[in-house]
Amino acid sequence: MNPRGYLTVALCCGGRQWSVTLRETQGERAAEGAVPDARIEGEPGDLLFHLWGRLPADSRSLVSSGDATVLAALQYRLRQETQ
């Protein structure tokens, strides 16, 4: 975790953006205007497949930026919460 105690990932697709905040014990939708630590952009279907672990982060159809450890933390949390 960073000094703020949480990590934020912006998810962007279809002309829309929303952010997810990862805390040590939970995930939640980020407050409006939160500055993301990382960002994932792509077509809606590709982003959905990626979030479900069905499309790798290095896929040509996705653009990731920011802190790679934050992106890895999001994938880890999603795997933990959906098993």
Side-chain angles (χ1 to χ4, degrees), residues 13-74:
C13 65
R16 309 271 305 185
Q17 174 178 313
W18 68 101
S19 297
V20 175
T21 296
L22 300 173
R23 299 186 189 281
E24 283 194 42
T25 59
Q26 65 185 21
E28 61 191 48
R29 184 156 187 223
E32 196 70 33
V35 177
D37 298 296
R39 179 184 192 93
I40 306 171
E41 298 179 61
E43 293 298 316
D46 293 339
L47 182 58
L48 180 63
F49 280 134
H50 173 66
L51 294 174
W52 278 99
R54 305 286 191 250
L55 187 65
D58 61 357
S59 170
R60 289 183 180 191
S61 62
L62 298 172
V63 176
S64 299
S65 59
D67 189 335
T69 60
V70 174
L71 296 170
L74 174 64

